[in-house]
Amino acid sequence: MDRYRGADAATQYIQQVLDVQGGDGRTIALLYIGLDQFKRINQSFGHNIGDQLLYSIGRRLHRLVTLHAHAVRIGGDTFVYLFAYQTVDDIHEVIEQLHAQLRLPFRMGEQDIYIGASIGVSRFPEHADNAEQLVKAAEMAMADIKEQIGSRVQMYDEKLNEKLERRFQIHAELARAVQQWPFTLYYQPIIELEDKRPVGMECLIRWFHPVLGAIPPSEFIPLAEETGLIAPIGMWVLEEACAQNKQWQDAGLPPIVMSVNLSSRQFYDPSFLGALIGILRRTGLAPQWLELEITEGVMMDIHAALPILRELGALGIQLAIDDFGTGYSSLKYLKELPVNKLKIDRSFIQHIETDAVHAAIVQALLAMSAQLGLHVVTEGVERPEELEVLQQLGCKFAQGYLFSRPVPAEAAFELLQGVPISP
């Protein structure tokens, strides 16, 4: 592993490689490797473990180094892997080798740590003719990954320049938005499959900008996370959702559970619990009608997460693990978690009628959850064929476009008036 202090020194080294190998007529790929949730690992396990992890990652990258390949730590939790290639297939082969190295657990003392990586790819001389621009192109590609779901590799494209400009624009508007609160909440029902009636609602934030139009959460939520604005936005969502649920109850509707997604920044904020209690007091909503959805990534440090989960559970608030099956949490801890519900990710539901592996996974999760006394909701159900298989497997609750898209509060009120929702 070639080690350099600071991005400038690393860029100079990369330029030397380009001068030598590019001068020989070679085409060169640059992989800009950003580690996922490394800051969270540092916070949970300490900087010593973080430093050891970076050293171990560097050693694994070094295993891939060949005569015409170089691995450089360019700063913080970012690495660059530079190599000569002949075809695009060669690039994908190296990326697969890299993922194979990183997906194995890192043993730190008595703790196994799993870490993912987002990889931006640029090519010399196609995308840039010098090191600085080549690194910048790959960095832009990696930044683009943060706005996508399920993508871990992105090749640079000139259209990313336009996307980056929009990103800066949204960033500026977001800072103003938290002063004016131009957001609104939409609601998507969670359906009890036996009688097709809603038993809950998941609230989803929407932002309709007067100039930029509808800005999807996939664009502004990652920016809010990066800037810390997710904390005030998240508290606004919680208060609005609780107030709306209490309003429905006061209008005479049968009580339902309101589900609200919780970010890791909110979850670990020392002031969160007190603020949440204040919201419940102000809105008058009983705690049992609020459900907080957390991802497996939030529980990367199970020992830090457990006390918080137990405090929330003690208040009577319901807890759900969102996108279950897509993270790295260990099943051995599941029985210790005071959660009420698992939400199976859409990726396991797609084409379940023809994918025997996904059907087997869902069946196993349903059986395990039944033994643990947990409810299961299958997310993203969009086609009748999927619903048929899920019912055959014994699924009792589902959510997705097949029943209803997210709708404004007025339309959600109509859905809650007791009429079965026909898929």
Side-chain angles (χ1 to χ4, degrees), residues 166 170 186 206-217 219-220:
R166 176 176 168 84
I170 292 174
Y186 273 41
R206 295 292 184 263
W207 184 11
F208 300 99
H209 191 276
V211 177
L212 299 177
I215 304 175
E219 282 195 82
F220 71 85

Side-chain angles (χ1 to χ4, degrees), residues 365-410:
L365 290 175
L366 288 168
M368 176 192 68
S369 300
Q371 290 294 319
L372 296 173
L374 301 174
H375 293 301
V376 174
V377 174
T378 49
E379 298 183 285
V381 181
E382 297 182 357
R383 298 181 298 111
E385 295 85 354
E386 295 168 349
L387 176 61
E388 184 178 355
V389 173
L390 290 172
Q391 289 184 293
Q392 291 172 356
L393 294 176
C395 183
K396 296 181 179 179
F397 303 96
Q399 179 181 359
Y401 289 175
L402 183 63
F403 306 102
S404 173
R405 290 177 176 269
V407 295
E410 297 79 7

Side-chain angles (χ1 to χ4, degrees), residues 8-26:
D8 290 342
T11 302
Q12 290 175 14
Y13 175 75
I14 294 169
Q15 185 63 56
Q16 292 173 13
V17 174
L18 297 182
D19 290 342
V20 173
Q21 296 193 15
D24 292 340
R26 299 181 185 277

Side-chain angles (χ1 to χ4, degrees), residues 185-189 201-203 244 248 258 405-409 412:
L185 294 185
Y186 273 41
Y187 303 88
Q188 187 176 39
M201 285 282 181
E202 179 180 358
C203 76
Q244 181 62 76
W248 285 334
M258 178 70 78
R405 290 177 176 269
V407 295

